[in-house]
C-alpha cells in the first residue's frame, strides 16, 4: 500500500492564481482531512470529510474548497491564492471511523504564494 | 471550540536526561489525546495516545499522563537519545457529530549528545 499520497510536493503561485492540491489514500479510510502547518501555530484543520459526498469545515476554512466524490480522493482547492496561504499542507486519513482519531499523514505540500 | 495549549515551545536536554511536555485543553467533552512526533522535513507520526478512562499509559521510554479534572495531559520521555530530537505535537479530539483532532502549537525538542 502507498498510504496517503500528496501531490505536488512543492508549488509556487502568484497572488490570485488558483490550484488544486491532490490527496489520495489506498487504505479505504472513510475519514480524510486537510491541515496547514505554520511556524509556532501547529497543525490547523482546514476541512475534513467523513465519507464520499460529506465534507465539513475545520478551524481555518476560508479561501479553501474541498469535495469528496470517491473514498480515495480528497482534493483541496485554492480559488484565488493569497500570500497568507503560504504554508505546508498535510492531508491525513483515519481508519477509526466514526471516531476519526488515529491520523495517517501524507508527506506534505510546500506552497509559496508570491 | 476546542483550544489546545502546549508548553514549552522549545526544550533542550542532555542525552540520557528526561523531557516533559505539557498540554492543556478547553473542551471537557474531549476524550482522546494523541501525541505526534515530526522529524525535520518529515510527516507527523503518532507515537502514543491516551483515552479519558485511563490516567497513564507507557510504551518503552515514553509515557503519557492525563488529569481530566484539571484538563491537562503530559508527555514524558526518559533516557533521551539524539533521535528523540523532533517537534512534538499534542492534540485533543473534539467531540462533535464527527470528531475533529485539534493540535497544540508544538514543542521543539533538542537532545544534546
Amino acid at each position: 500500500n502507498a498510504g496517503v499520497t500528496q501531490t505536488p510536493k512543492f508549488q509556487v503561485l502568484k497572488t490570485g492564481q488558483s490550484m488544486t492540491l491532490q490527496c489520495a489514500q489506498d487504505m479505504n479510510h472513510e475519514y480524510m482531512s486537510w491541515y496547514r502547518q505554520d511556524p509556532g501555530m501547529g497543525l490547523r484543520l482546514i476541512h475534513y470529510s467523513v465519507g464520499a459526498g460529506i465534507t465539513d469545515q475545520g478551524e481555518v476554512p476560508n479561501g479553501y474548497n474541498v469535495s469528496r466524490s470517491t473514498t480515495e480522493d480528497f482534493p483541496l482547492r485554492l480559488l484565488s491564492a493569497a500570500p497568507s496561504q503560504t504554508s505546508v499542507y498535510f492531508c491525513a486519513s483515519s481508519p477509526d471511523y466514526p471516531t476519526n482519531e488515529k491520523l495517517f499523514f501524507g508527506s506534505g505540500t510546500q506552497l509559496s504564494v508570491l | 471550540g476546542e483550544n489546545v495549549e502546549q508548553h514549552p515551545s522549545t526544550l533542550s536536554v542532555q542525552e540520557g536526561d528526561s523531557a516533559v511536555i505539557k498540554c492543556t485543553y478547553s473542551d471537557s467533552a474531549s476524550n482522546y489525546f494523541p501525541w505526534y512526533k515530526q522529524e525535520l522535513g518529515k510527516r507527523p507520526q503518532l507515537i502514543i495516545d491516551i483515552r479519558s478512562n485511563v490516567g497513564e499509559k507507557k510504551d518503552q521510554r515514553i509515557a503519557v499522563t492525563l488529569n481530566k479534572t484539571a484538563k491537562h495531559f503530559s508527555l514524558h520521555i526518559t533516557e533521551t537519545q539524539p533521535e528523540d530530537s523532533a517537534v512534538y505535537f499534542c492534540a485533543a479530539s473534539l467531540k462533535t457529530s464527527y470528531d475533529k483532532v485539534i493540535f497544540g502549537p508544538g514543542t521543539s525538542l533538542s537532545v544534546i549528545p
Side-chain angles (χ1 to χ4, degrees):
Chain A
N1 288 348
V4 181
T5 303
Q6 285 184 240
T7 56
K9 292 190 181 298
F10 303 94
Q11 183 69 50
V12 179
L13 293 177
K14 294 181 180 179
T15 297
Q17 288 184 318
S18 62
M19 79 158 295
T20 299
L21 307 185
Q22 301 291 344
C23 177
Q25 52 89 12
D26 60 359
M27 299 175 284
N28 201 33
H29 290 176
E30 291 287 346
Y31 181 85
M32 297 184 73
S33 55
W34 277 100
Y35 286 87
R36 60 176 290 173
Q37 183 175 29
D38 303 292
M41 303 189 75
L43 294 150
R44 291 183 292 168
L45 182 64
I46 304 172
H47 285 286
Y48 66 102
S49 169
V50 298
I54 306 170
T55 64
D56 203 351
Q57 296 180 349
E59 302 170 86
V60 288
N62 293 341
Y64 307 95
N65 278 359
V66 292
S67 60
R68 184 91 179 272
S69 57
T70 67
T71 299
E72 294 77 20
D73 300 300
F74 190 44
L76 179 71
R77 297 183 183 85
L78 284 70
L79 302 179
S80 178
S84 60
Q85 294 178 304
T86 293
S87 187
V88 179
Y89 291 84
F90 285 98
C91 178
S93 69
S94 171
D96 295 318
Y97 181 85
T99 52
N100 315 316
E101 295 174 336
K102 298 179 184 178
L103 295 173
F104 291 80
F105 284 87
S107 58
T109 296
Q110 188 169 323
L111 176 67
S112 296
V113 182
L114 306 178
Chain B
E2 176 67 281
N3 181 53
V4 179
E5 298 184 353
Q6 184 172 349
H7 299 280
S9 57
T10 60
L11 179 60
S12 291
V13 299
Q14 291 289 334
E15 182 177 358
D17 288 349
S18 296
V20 180
I21 303 170
K22 299 181 179 181
C23 289
T24 60
Y25 60 98
S26 60
D27 191 333
S28 58
S30 293
N31 69 351
Y32 175 71
F33 308 94
W35 287 87
Y36 287 79
K37 175 184 180 182
Q38 186 180 29
E39 297 175 356
L40 188 61
K42 302 291 182 62
R43 72 193 76 188
Q45 292 190 305
L46 180 72
I47 56 171
I48 195 168
D49 56 12
I50 192 169
R51 298 185 185 276
S52 59
N53 59 348
V54 176
E56 183 176 5
K57 183 177 179 180
K58 291 183 180 180
D59 183 2
Q60 299 182 341
R61 294 187 298 107
I62 61 174
V64 57
T65 59
L66 172 64
N67 183 327
K68 284 219 70 176
T69 302
K71 291 191 285 187
H72 65 72
F73 56 112
S74 300
L75 178 71
H76 304 254
I77 306 174
T78 60
E79 301 174 11
T80 53
Q81 302 169 3
E83 52 264 39
D84 294 329
S85 295
V87 177
Y88 291 82
F89 294 98
C90 63
S93 178
L94 175 64
K95 298 299 291 184
T96 61
S97 299
Y98 302 105
D99 286 3
K100 303 178 187 179
V101 180
I102 304 299
F103 285 82
T107 295
S108 178
L109 173 65
S110 297
V111 179
I112 304 166

